[in-house]
Amino acid sequence: MYNPFSLSGKRILVTGASSGIGRAVAIECSKMGAAVILTARNEERLQETLQQLEGDGHRYIAADLTNADALKQLAEAAGEVDGVVFAAGVSALKPIQAVTEKDIESVFATNYTAAVMLTKVLAKQKRITKQGSLVYIASISGNGNTATGLSTYGSSKAALSAFVKYAAVELSGKQIRCNTISPGRIETAFLQNGTMNAEDIQRDMERYPLRRYGRAEEVAQAAVYLLSDATQWVTGTELKIDGGRTLV
């Protein structure tokens, strides 16, 4: 049966695949028939993700995406890919008065620079197939949904969203699509870092029109959509997955 959302026969590289949204993306891609290449720094957790994938042909490549040599080696080891999901990211919660240059460098290195440089390396090495799809996980924190303590994180995601628009134009000649997914707050391990107690979470959740946070698999399913042939005429766009949070 014809399914425009199928990823059968496609090879998809997923960064940040050791946990959270990245892991969910890898799992959903495998369910849709893709051969998935996982990458992240933590090899043990990559193995855990690998065990949760459906089908055959999957593998992982442990790599530090903030290291230039590691990026080149990753691109060479991955080979030709039909799609990439840039899900690697770090959070940071500090008021502006406490932010240091080291904080900025660390957050931007993972959330922005790594994605930009991996895009460059993959394009330069011609690793992305014609009509390939690049999907970048940004955040509504980068497009006006401000909150105290998230200036560095939000700024890094805003920079990423801006970059994707330029990439969409520059790579269009090769029929490569570049799109952004901007989630609201997602139920991942970040919620367990102690910065919010149960009352804080409930109060924040009430600010979402749908009265709940998102699930990682809901973001992953949006990534599948953008990776699929159903979106061959979609590029340079931002897909918000936020339960209506940016409406209020």
Side-chain angles (χ1 to χ4, degrees):
M1 181 181 295
Y2 171 66
N3 180 1
F5 307 105
S6 171
L7 299 181
S8 180
K10 294 185 184 293
R11 289 163 50 86
I12 307 298
L13 172 64
V14 182
T15 76
S18 61
S19 63
I21 291 174
R23 174 175 286 180
V25 167
I27 292 171
E28 293 300 316
C29 285
S30 74
K31 290 179 180 178
M32 297 304 291
V36 186
I37 304 165
L38 315 169
T39 189
R41 281 179 284 200
N42 191 309
E43 186 170 355
E44 183 178 346
R45 290 195 299 185
L46 282 173
Q47 291 176 346
E48 292 174 359
T49 302
L50 188 64
Q51 292 171 2
Q52 297 180 49
L53 304 187
E54 296 186 9
D56 302 314
H58 315 301
R59 60 193 175 97
Y60 71 83
I61 305 167
D64 179 358
L65 301 186
T66 64
N67 180 285
D69 290 333
L71 281 181
K72 292 179 182 178
Q73 292 167 9
L74 170 62
E76 292 170 359
E80 193 172 71
V81 295
D82 301 290
V84 184
V85 180
F86 298 82
V90 294
S91 184
L93 187 63
K94 273 190 178 183
I96 291 171
Q97 296 93 325
V99 171
T100 65
E101 279 191 41
K102 187 175 181 180
D103 294 329
I104 296 171
E105 291 171 0
S106 176
V107 172
F108 269 77
T110 298
N111 293 359
Y112 175 74
T113 308
V116 172
M117 298 310 293
L118 181 55
T119 302
K120 171 192 171 179
V121 170
L122 290 171
K124 193 170 184 178
Q125 292 188 10
K126 299 182 179 179
R127 301 292 181 180
I128 309 163
T129 60
K130 188 175 181 180
Q131 296 185 331
S133 175
L134 308 184
V135 180
Y136 301 78
I137 307 300
S139 170
I140 62 171
S141 295
N143 59 21
N145 190 68
T146 57
T148 300
L150 288 176
S151 63
T152 302
Y153 173 78
S155 296
S156 70
K157 293 298 188 177
L160 180 63
S161 294
F163 165 76
V164 174
K165 292 179 173 61
Y166 287 97
V169 172
E170 291 194 24
L171 297 179
S172 63
K174 300 178 181 179
Q175 296 295 299
I176 295 171
R177 318 190 303 279
C178 303
N179 293 289
T180 305
I181 296 175
S182 291
R185 198 179 294 276
I186 302 297
E187 293 178 352
T188 65
F190 283 139
L191 284 179
Q192 310 302 323
N193 62 10
T195 58
M196 297 174 68
N197 59 35
E199 291 183 359
D200 292 333
I201 291 174
Q202 185 58 44
R203 187 162 48 248
D204 185 55
M205 204 177 290
E206 290 298 318
R207 301 169 71 188
Y208 286 74
L210 293 184
R211 297 296 188 269
R212 67 172 177 87
Y213 290 153
R215 295 184 289 270
E217 59 266 28
E218 292 173 317
V219 179
Q221 288 156 4
V224 167
Y225 166 67
L226 291 172
L227 290 167
S228 75
D229 290 343
T231 54
Q232 287 188 347
W233 209 48
V234 178
T235 195
T237 193
E238 176 189 18
L239 179 56
K240 294 179 183 176
I241 308 290
D242 69 350
R245 178 66 186 88
T246 52
L247 299 175
V248 296

